[in-house]
Amino acid sequence: MTRLLEFLVAIVIVAVLGVVVGVAMPSTGHVERPLVISKDLRQVYDVFSNFRRYPDFSVQRTLDPQLKYELSGKAYGPGAKISWTSTDPKTGDGSLEIASIDPGFAAISDAGKGTIVWNLENNWRGHDKKFTITLARTGRSQKLVNVVWAYDVDYGFNLVDRFSNLYIHGDPDSLIQFSLSNLQNLMASIPNIDYSKMVPSIVDQPAKPILFVSTTAPRTLDDVDTASDKAMAEIQAAAKKLGVNIVSPRITFTTNWGDQNYTFDVAAEIDATTLKINGQDVELTAAQRPSLDAAAPAEASTSAAPAAPADAAAPGSKDKLGRVVVDGNVKAVLAFGGKALKAEWSGTGAGLPQTRQMMAAYSQTHGYKFDDVVFRPYDIQTKAPVNNHGTIEGYDEQKFEIYLPLQGDNLPDQTPEQEAGMKQPGLDDSAPAASSTAAAPAAAGTAPAPASTAAN
């Protein structure tokens, strides 16, 4: 009996000590980890201000490859939400929602620092759980970004939850540490360019018929202009022969911006989807990926192409991509149709490659999927130089609309800039740049041909 009493007293003493220790332990928990990234501040800020790239850097999918994510709420900023379900008890089910971002995206570059707060719901102990990401420029030239990712939790008066603070350096700490490491790799894949002055938008337009010519020129403005003018002359001659009208400014599809040469397609929209070629009506269709012949050798895609049959390029026939051969170098196809990221540029064509790179970086940080090899970026010249009695005027005052076709079904309808009603600085309102009046802005699957097969 004495032994039993001693055992019961010991249990009571341990319980009392546990309660005393629990009461003495902090009612909140905090852990943080820093990382310095060599990247533009706005880019890092954008990655944390939406959840479209979260699955790409979160360590959760490493723990459970079968993890399923679902996006909801807004696409960007406060109200954006991502939920996940997992059969792995270590990962469990949960969600993140952006509670606040400070300052707004338009002011982050000038402010040089910012804070993003995510509210967390999962199976970890405690309540009012949140991640706080603090960003600040650092380094001698202020070209680095110091990222501090912190986790905070409130345990309240739940003594069991308070004891879990002893393990805050377990799952919460490891998630932050490994996710930051993955983030470093993700950011390294994005072009390091400042796009904070660009005001892009997402546009959606129907398919349009075009005539186009594939060409290549050395990477100089004069050579590109000469090649473009020659291609447009061919397109105009073909349109006249077909009895159709050109109803758009010049469109340029970029195939390859090489070190020495620029490979591209020059195109123009026409007002007919059915062409009469050699007395036959030919209906234009969208370009298709070439089908793989089971009998063809595996190396056919990389080896030199065999000589084409004599009638393969006959006017009215279609090439392997489904594009109609019109006459000589001119082909026709049903282009555009879908969503694309749109930006604007004023000046000479020398600024177009940088704008395309900015758009690619913007898409990557906002989680907009694109394939610039198959569905190539393109630009529309909405204001061209004028030939005034042999003198070219307004060469530095050209205006372009640049488009990057987007892929996927879960794309937002607007960019954050569109939602905020922002306009591209430096572009006057009278310029024919609005998507509702532009000749042929468009989107996914719009290019006349995949880049790997565009040039003939």
Side-chain angles (χ1 to χ4, degrees):
M1 187 65 180
T2 303
R3 297 281 185 179
L4 179 59
L5 289 174
E6 289 176 349
F7 180 72
L8 292 176
V9 170
I11 291 177
V12 170
I13 292 173
V14 171
V16 171
L17 286 175
V19 171
V20 171
V21 172
V23 171
M25 292 187 71
S27 62
T28 60
H30 176 86
V31 63
E32 64 181 45
R33 288 290 177 264
L35 177 70
V36 176
I37 301 178
S38 178
K39 191 62 65 171
D40 179 69
L41 173 62
R42 171 68 188 275
Q43 290 192 10
V44 183
Y45 173 91
D46 281 339
V47 169
F48 280 114
S49 295
N50 75 90
F51 289 124
R52 304 180 73 85
R53 297 307 305 266
Y54 179 79
D56 298 325
F57 67 83
S58 171
V59 73
Q60 291 173 317
R61 187 156 276 170
T62 304
L63 300 174
D64 180 11
Q66 304 303 318
L67 185 74
K68 294 182 179 180
Y69 287 106
E70 182 180 357
L71 295 169
S72 60
K74 295 185 61 177
Y76 184 98
K81 186 174 182 179
I82 187 170
S83 305
W84 61 87
T85 56
S86 172
T87 56
D88 178 25
K90 186 178 180 65
T91 304
D93 299 345
S95 67
L96 285 168
E97 182 174 357
I98 298 179
S100 65
I101 55 175
D102 181 41
F105 66 87
I108 183 66
S109 294
D110 292 335
K113 59 182 180 180
T115 302
I116 300 104
V117 178
W118 297 347
N119 289 336
L120 170 66
E121 292 289 340
N122 68 350
N123 57 3
W124 294 346
R125 290 281 184 178
H127 56 275
D128 292 339
K129 293 169 286 188
K130 65 181 179 180
F131 288 123
T132 302
I133 299 97
T134 304
L135 311 174
R137 284 201 183 100
T138 188
R140 182 175 300 176
S141 59
Q142 297 290 290
K143 293 184 178 179
L144 305 176
V145 179
N146 184 50
V147 181
V148 179
W149 188 337
Y151 170 67
D152 292 280
V153 57
D154 187 350
Y155 299 119
F157 291 99
N158 188 315
L159 300 186
V160 176
D161 286 353
R162 289 192 179 193
F163 274 103
S164 68
N165 189 55
L166 296 172
Y167 306 99
I168 197 170
H169 290 283
D171 290 343
D173 196 0
S174 61
L175 183 145
I176 293 173
Q177 189 68 43
F178 289 113
S179 295
L180 279 175
S181 179
N182 293 341
L183 177 69
Q184 180 90 293
N185 297 330
L186 171 68
M187 299 306 300
S189 67
I190 301 174
N192 193 10
I193 189 169
D194 180 7
Y195 55 67
S196 60
K197 303 301 181 184
M198 182 179 68
V199 183
S201 59
I202 294 177
V203 295
D204 195 349
Q205 293 263 328
K208 306 264 182 96
I210 64 168
L211 298 178
F212 72 96
V213 171
S214 300
T215 187
T216 300
R219 266 185 47 177
T220 67
L221 290 177
D222 289 341
D223 287 321
V224 171
D225 286 344
T226 299
S228 298
D229 291 342
K230 179 181 178 182
M232 277 302 298
E234 294 183 61
I235 291 172
Q236 290 167 351
K240 184 177 181 179
K241 184 176 180 180
L242 291 169
V244 298
N245 299 310
I246 293 176
V247 294
S248 80
R250 188 183 73 202
I251 306 169
T252 303
F253 290 87
T254 295
T255 302
N256 181 39
W257 183 257
D259 293 335
Q260 301 295 327
N261 296 318
Y262 178 36
T263 303
F264 57 103
D265 290 351
V266 177
E269 181 191 343
I270 56 177
D271 61 355
T273 57
T274 301
L275 305 179
K276 185 172 288 294
I277 304 176
N278 289 340
Q280 301 293 325
D281 289 335
V282 181
E283 186 73 21
L284 299 185
T285 59
Q288 303 292 327
R289 289 186 178 91
S291 59
L292 298 177
D293 188 348
E299 67 274 9
S301 60
T302 56
S303 60
D311 61 346
S317 65
K318 293 187 177 182
D319 64 13
K320 61 182 180 180
L321 301 172
R323 307 169 302 179
V324 176
V325 178
V326 175
D327 188 19
N329 297 323
V330 182
K331 294 182 179 181
V333 72
L334 197 62
F336 316 125
K339 289 185 176 181
L341 187 68
K342 169 189 170 185
E344 297 170 340
W345 167 254
S346 293
T348 69
L352 295 176
Q354 183 181 34
T355 305
R356 288 193 291 267
Q357 190 178 40
M358 291 165 63
M359 296 174 71
Y362 183 96
S363 295
Q364 288 175 276
T365 59
H366 288 71
Y368 304 158
K369 293 182 180 180
F370 66 92
D371 184 348
D372 59 357
V373 174
V374 177
F375 304 114
R376 300 167 296 157
Y378 58 97
D379 58 82
I380 299 176
Q381 186 183 42
T382 58
K383 182 180 179 181
V386 178
N387 189 334
N388 187 6
H389 303 291
T391 301
I392 303 299
E393 298 178 350
Y395 192 77
D396 296 335
E397 300 173 357
Q398 300 179 69
K399 294 184 184 295
F400 298 89
E401 294 176 350
I402 306 96
Y403 296 86
L404 179 63
L406 301 178
Q407 310 295 304
D409 299 326
N410 193 24
L411 290 168
D413 294 326
Q414 292 184 315
T415 63
E417 288 80 0
Q418 277 177 286
E419 291 184 353
M422 297 175 62
K423 293 185 178 181
Q424 181 70 45
L427 294 177
D428 57 80
D429 295 335
S430 63
S435 60
S436 60
T437 57
T446 60
S452 58
T453 55
N456 293 325

